[in-house]
Amino acid sequence: MFKGFGRSQRASAAAVEQPALDVKPRHIGLIMDGNGRWAQKRGLPRIAGHHAGMLAMKEAIRACDDFGIECVTLYAFSTENWKRPAAEVDYLMRLPEQFFRSEIDELVRRNVRVRFIGDTARLPAHTQETVRRAIQCTQHNTGMIVNFALNYGGRMEIVAAMERYAREVMEGRATVGQLTEATCDRYLDTAGLPPLDLVIRTSGEIRLSNFLLWQAAYAELWFTDVLWPDFTRDDLYQAICDYAKRKRRFGAI
Ligand SMILES: CCc1cc(N2CCCCCC2)n2ncc(-c3ccc(F)cc3)c2n1
């Protein structure tokens, strides 16, 4: 099993000044796994893991911006997560409000633009209102894009894209036989975002779990045993350094 940084190694890495990154991914996808296990290991309720996960998300967003990443997509709630206990889903649906209550000022100060992918129309009304306000108050920002995947599934995204294309063909706004990979990109929720270069998944699971399936076709995949609430700026830095090493070999014959 892939081993990420041990705590002692991560501690020492924290003491080391992080040199500037010469080769870096334009767009990083984060599968933030391990919140429940983090809580279980501490004898805490699962929602304590989700709260700790939100704190780790805040740090990861700051670090991505500090490292000059153009776009980060965060897998916050999948289409499969509705199967969780109602009380847990209710708690999760209130995290966006909690998040922006404390973070929106810094996000605006950092010139961050907030976007969303997924079927947000199915979210509770209060969550949808938070989504709408976050988009509205960052829509003119030109810095890093923070893209939250809410009620998102890669297969559902492709189904919706096919529906949009079929409708355009029927309305005479698209022609059968002229579809290319580039035009497919434009029918997806991620239209306009930089190409996905790196997917990071925590907690030792080695799979995509229906996350950015089309977009990840050529992305580097980086896995760590670290549980999401324990994921730090040093772990992110390590993932980006490993990405850079892979890309350098990419240049080899
Ligand atoms: C709706 C599910 C969910 C779960 C969740 N967790 C739980 C699982 C993943 C780890 C992070 C903590 N977070 N953390 C922030 C948000 C958030 C979402 C949208 C937004 F615009 C701002 C913040 C969040 N959303």
Side-chain angles (χ1 to χ4, degrees):
M1 178 66 72
F2 179 89
K3 291 286 178 200
F5 268 47
R7 183 167 297 284
S8 56
Q9 288 161 303
R10 289 168 62 217
S12 60
V16 175
E17 187 55 38
Q18 289 158 344
L21 293 157
D22 51 356
V23 174
K24 55 193 164 195
R26 294 185 63 194
H27 182 176
I28 296 176
L30 289 174
I31 305 177
M32 306 172 286
D33 214 359
N35 304 288
R37 259 177 285 164
W38 183 92
Q40 188 180 34
K41 278 172 66 176
R42 289 158 178 79
L44 296 171
R46 287 178 56 84
I47 60 173
H50 295 321
H51 181 76
M54 182 172 69
L55 300 180
M57 179 197 275
K58 292 176 181 178
E59 283 313 306
I61 291 171
R62 291 188 180 105
C64 283
D65 191 35
D66 292 345
F67 292 157
I69 305 304
E70 292 177 42
C71 180
V72 57
T73 296
L74 304 146
Y75 203 8
F77 195 86
S78 74
T79 46
E80 289 73 35
N81 287 152
W82 295 109
K83 300 168 190 164
R84 292 186 177 177
E88 183 175 345
V89 171
D90 289 347
Y91 176 83
L92 290 171
M93 287 298 136
R94 296 199 178 279
L95 282 181
E97 288 138 278
Q98 270 194 61
F99 177 89
F100 284 119
R101 199 175 301 130
S102 64
E103 295 308 294
I104 192 65
D105 291 345
E106 181 171 345
L107 291 175
V108 170
R109 207 168 42 248
R110 285 178 177 262
N111 193 24
V112 162
R113 184 152 69 91
V114 172
R115 273 186 51 157
F116 293 84
I117 58 173
D119 183 3
T120 52
R122 253 206 73 184
L123 300 174
H126 63 83
T127 311
Q128 290 190 51
E129 177 58 16
T130 299
V131 165
R132 188 193 64 75
R133 285 170 52 207
I135 293 170
Q136 186 184 36
C137 74
T138 62
Q139 61 187 330
H140 301 303
N141 293 350
T142 56
M144 180 174 78
I145 296 170
V146 176
N147 184 42
F148 292 96
L150 286 190
N151 192 25
Y152 172 85
R155 287 188 169 191
M156 279 308 294
E157 180 189 23
I158 293 171
V159 166
M162 290 177 73
E163 290 271 353
R164 288 186 195 115
Y165 173 66
R167 199 172 303 118
E168 288 197 8
V169 168
M170 286 170 62
E171 293 166 356
R173 292 186 290 127
T175 306
V176 175
Q178 293 181 358
L179 192 58
T180 65
E181 287 187 20
T183 46
C184 280
D185 279 334
R186 290 200 294 271
Y187 287 100
L188 295 169
D189 292 359
T190 51
L193 295 180
L196 182 67
D197 290 318
L198 174 63
V199 177
I200 295 171
R201 182 165 188 164
T202 57
S203 92
E205 304 298 337
I206 301 188
R207 55 180 180 269
L208 284 177
S209 295
N210 204 18
F211 183 57
L212 299 179
L213 298 179
W214 170 278
Q215 299 84 343
Y218 300 103
E220 296 294 334
L221 310 178
W222 193 87
F223 301 97
T224 176
D225 286 342
V226 172
L227 301 178
W228 175 253
D230 290 330
F231 190 82
T232 67
R233 160 184 299 255
D234 295 329
D235 298 305
L236 179 66
Y237 185 78
Q238 186 57 56
I240 296 172
C241 288
D242 289 352
Y243 169 86
K245 289 178 200 145
R246 296 181 194 179
K247 281 306 166 189
R248 282 197 200 101
R249 276 206 300 277
F250 181 82
I253 304 296

